[in-house]
Amino acid sequence: MSEQKGKVYIVGAGPSDVAYLTVRSQQLLSQAEVLIYDALIDDRLLDLVPDNCQKFYVGKRGGRKSTPQAEIDRLLVEQCLLGKQVVRLKSGDPLIFGRSSEEIQALIAAGCQFEVVPGISSALAAPLLAGIPLTDPVLSRCFAVLSAHEPTELDWEALARIDTLVILMGGRNLSEIVRQLHRAGRSLQTPVAVIRYCGHPQQQIWTAQLGTIETTCAGASLSPAAIVIGEVVGLRPYLQSPNADPMCPIDGKLRSGTLDLIGLAVSTEHPNLLSKQDAQKETIPASSFLPLANKTILVTRSVGQSGEFTNRLQDAGATVIEMPAIAIGPPSNSEALDNAIAHLTTFDWLILTSTNGVDYFFERLFAQGKDARALANLKIAVVGKKTANSLKLHNLQPDFIPPNFVADSLVEHFPESLQGKKVLFPRVETGGREVLVQELSAKGAEVVEVAAYESLCPDAIAPAAKQALSEQTVDIITFASSKTVRNFCRLVNASQLTDKLDKVAIASIGPQTSRDCKQLLGRVDVEALEYTLEGLTQAIINWATIHQPPV
């Protein structure tokens, strides 16, 4: 019998927001054993794969060191022949300028099974999310999608006659695009839109005319971007929801982009089109309205726990790069926790200090065939809002949450005498809260510590984070626990990146984390007043507002 082989799924991730992923793609990610992924995908997609999924970053960006295509082909074949379920995740649609044909040919040659799963191409999504229709009964009866990666290879005379053009990979060659189209007869008054990072909180839109678009975009990074050229660009101001925010004509969310102030001269040919001769335009960067616009923030929370924090920062305009400094998993031995759960009736209090503690405690509770009813005779104390919310998912309300949301205040403000009380404390296996146990014991409590989970230092820095630190494009690094500080320092020291941190702001969730930041990194620039992720987000916004360069 021949060896059973795996299968490769070549999946389109859509534009740069997890919200536009297809249901089929999400299903495949949830079952992936190996993930081989490109640049420009939303980092939150990495949270959708199983914890034991092996990840390979093979992104390609112009002007940067990239994984050779031959190596990607070899990796796909190798993992498939090992019997793995492999997801090859590509930005947009895999068969639109994605070099998937080469990978498919390599898989066929090796006898590997594969399936191609469509995604939403930025060629379609970028104009739509910018409020630009690609077709119109009067202005655009056809459109063409092209790559301007090698502009000299294109038939510009033919392209100049097409009503609407959508150009990908053209940011670096904008000058050549303008020159070629004008030489081929396209009017310099033709409306143009440049859309960067479509669908992303950092989406930016520049609109002008063919003859002035270079000046309008001068000094801006135009990668990744889609360029739309045609009269339909002029319809953009008229295709907005009546209640939409002017900074985002489609969904009303405040996004980084441009605010278009255009004179109301109307074309007689099309009642909704501004006259090319009379329209006046001024571009005001809408990014100035977002407190964290133009800030790149490194988040060091564990995989699977950074999503909410990342969303908060992105909603405030930040570019977020995730660098997990903690890997969460089960403890080396669950025997002590299982024994404690089997004797829950002997305890007076259950103390939970993290969402991890809640999750792994209930995992072992359910494994014994029990549910929340087994806690009926226990009182529960939790530290922090997130821990309380995690408990509520099991239909339980905590009996006590200490003020300031820190474990240090738990003993000081405990609602009853601890003398003679038996306390169950499921905690991290190593590096936990020894001081809390000592203080509880000093108050007369019998504390039973059991390992509920383990947090380890990852083997290496996430590739995108390593690149950003190396290129010194990170503005702020956030830490939500002391252990993330220690693991971060271990990782950057191993990668010889310590000297790249001098100009980076250090943001801490609270005093305990700040002490480690000061000890290991020499300083703390931002500390949350309320020791929660919401508080940390607000503290970063306040800091950025003070340190924002003048517009």
Side-chain angles (χ1 to χ4, degrees):
M1 181 180 294
S2 61
E3 181 182 356
Q4 183 180 3
K5 297 179 181 179
K7 187 171 182 179
V8 175
Y9 297 90
I10 302 175
V11 175
S16 53
D17 192 310
V18 68
Y20 302 116
L21 188 72
T22 66
V23 174
R24 173 63 171 157
S25 299
Q26 183 178 15
Q27 176 191 36
L28 292 171
L29 285 170
S30 70
Q31 300 170 354
E33 296 177 292
V34 176
L35 177 67
I36 300 173
Y37 64 101
D38 277 351
L40 304 183
I41 68 165
D42 189 332
D43 287 342
R44 289 173 292 177
L45 294 173
L46 303 183
D47 295 339
L48 301 181
V49 301
D51 293 339
N52 60 351
C53 177
Q54 193 173 6
K55 304 182 189 72
F56 296 93
Y57 173 76
V58 295
K60 297 180 179 182
R61 296 298 304 277
R64 301 178 187 174
K65 185 178 180 180
S66 301
T67 306
Q69 185 60 49
E71 174 60 20
I72 299 173
D73 298 345
R74 185 201 63 77
L75 185 61
L76 287 168
V77 170
E78 174 189 76
Q79 294 300 315
C80 184
L81 294 178
L82 288 173
K84 304 290 188 179
Q85 297 297 299
V86 182
V87 171
R88 172 70 172 105
L89 193 62
K90 290 174 169 283
S91 176
D93 183 273
L95 293 183
I96 297 182
F97 303 127
R99 300 191 71 173
S100 294
S101 297
E102 298 176 42
E103 296 172 5
I104 290 172
Q105 289 170 1
L107 293 170
I108 292 173
C112 294
Q113 294 186 42
F114 67 91
E115 177 184 327
V116 182
V117 180
I120 302 173
S121 171
S122 60
L124 302 177
L128 183 148
L129 294 172
I132 299 169
L134 292 182
T135 61
D136 180 85
V138 175
L139 300 175
S140 181
R141 293 179 175 86
C142 62
F143 67 91
V145 178
L146 58 139
S147 164
H149 184 64
E150 296 179 349
T152 58
E153 301 297 317
L154 298 172
D155 185 346
W156 290 102
E157 283 74 16
L159 292 172
R161 294 193 293 270
I162 296 174
D163 292 341
T164 303
L165 300 177
V166 181
I167 304 176
L168 305 181
M169 295 177 279
R172 295 175 181 271
N173 295 314
L174 183 59
S175 297
E176 182 66 11
I177 292 168
V178 171
R179 189 184 74 81
Q180 291 283 8
L181 284 174
H182 181 51
R183 182 185 62 80
R186 201 70 180 249
S187 169
L188 290 177
Q189 280 72 51
T190 303
V192 180
V194 178
I195 306 149
R196 182 173 184 261
Y197 272 126
C198 79
H200 192 277
Q202 282 286 300
Q203 175 175 287
Q204 293 175 284
I205 305 170
W206 296 268
T207 57
Q209 296 176 337
L210 190 64
T212 59
I213 189 64
E214 292 180 76
T215 302
T216 301
C217 297
S221 170
L222 300 183
S223 177
I227 303 168
V228 185
I229 300 172
E231 300 297 338
V232 288
V233 173
L235 296 177
R236 180 171 178 253
Y238 303 97
L239 298 179
Q240 300 179 29
S241 168
N243 297 320
D245 190 291
M247 253 57 72
C248 184
I250 298 301
D251 59 14
K253 294 180 182 177
L254 182 65
R255 294 188 185 273
S256 176
T258 58
L259 172 61
D260 299 336
L261 303 178
I262 307 178
L264 297 181
V266 179
S267 165
T268 57
E269 181 182 9
H270 196 294
N272 287 333
L273 180 63
L274 298 179
S275 166
K276 293 185 295 184
Q277 290 79 18
D278 300 329
Q280 300 293 321
K281 179 184 181 300
E282 178 182 0
T283 301
I284 301 175
S287 57
S288 61
F289 294 91
L290 289 167
L292 297 181
N294 304 316
K295 297 295 184 186
T296 297
I297 300 179
L298 198 68
V299 173
T300 59
R301 302 201 79 207
S302 64
V303 173
Q305 293 192 323
S306 57
E308 180 185 347
F309 186 37
T310 293
N311 290 343
R312 290 179 183 277
L313 296 172
Q314 288 179 334
D315 286 345
T319 297
V320 178
I321 299 173
E322 295 186 354
M323 176 187 157
I326 286 183
I328 304 296
S332 59
N333 191 317
S334 297
E335 183 177 347
L337 177 57
D338 289 343
N339 184 60
I341 290 173
H343 298 87
L344 283 174
T345 56
T346 66
F347 291 94
D348 299 293
W349 280 88
L350 169 65
I351 294 180
L352 298 165
T353 58
S354 70
T355 58
N356 292 319
V358 174
D359 293 342
Y360 281 91
F361 173 82
F362 277 92
E363 180 179 303
R364 298 310 305 169
L365 183 76
F366 297 150
Q368 293 191 26
K370 303 178 186 292
D371 57 28
R373 290 174 295 182
L375 305 176
N377 297 320
L378 271 174
K379 292 182 180 180
I380 304 175
V382 303
V383 175
K385 288 181 179 179
K386 283 187 68 65
T387 310
N389 290 336
S390 183
L391 188 66
K392 289 176 184 177
L393 294 177
H394 299 283
N395 298 312
L396 290 170
Q397 293 282 352
D399 296 283
F400 173 56
I401 306 177
N404 302 325
F405 311 118
V406 292
D408 286 356
S409 66
L410 188 145
V411 178
E412 180 182 353
H413 297 92
F414 211 78
E416 64 181 32
S417 171
L418 285 163
Q419 185 65 43
K421 300 296 183 183
K422 188 174 181 180
V423 176
L424 176 59
F425 182 22
R427 49 167 280 182
V428 64
E429 185 170 4
T430 58
R433 302 180 184 275
E434 286 80 4
V435 174
L436 176 60
V437 175
Q438 292 170 7
E439 291 180 350
L440 288 169
S441 300
K443 293 287 186 178
E446 177 189 350
V447 183
V448 177
E449 296 178 80
V450 291
Y453 64 96
E454 178 62 306
S455 62
L456 303 171
C457 183
D459 295 332
I461 297 177
K466 185 174 183 179
Q467 180 174 312
L469 289 170
S470 299
E471 297 176 355
Q472 295 185 289
T473 58
V474 176
D475 298 295
I476 305 168
I477 301 173
T478 65
F479 296 103
S481 70
S482 294
K483 198 159 190 177
T484 57
V485 181
R486 295 193 291 271
N487 289 351
F488 173 85
C489 291
R490 188 180 308 167
L491 289 168
V492 296
N493 287 338
S495 298
Q496 298 182 330
L497 292 172
T498 307
D499 61 340
K500 304 291 186 179
L501 305 179
D502 293 344
K503 298 180 181 180
V504 182
I506 306 299
S508 160
I509 200 169
Q512 290 182 335
T513 305
S514 293
R515 282 197 291 270
D516 281 86
C517 288
K518 292 174 183 176
Q519 180 181 352
L520 297 173
L521 295 170
R523 70 185 193 284
V524 172
D525 302 287
V526 185
E527 182 178 292
L529 295 177
E530 179 182 287
Y531 312 142
T532 63
L533 294 177
E534 296 93 325
L536 181 55
T537 303
Q538 189 57 55
I540 292 170
I541 290 174
N542 295 342
W543 178 89
T545 301
I546 296 172
H547 293 81
Q548 192 76 263
V551 179

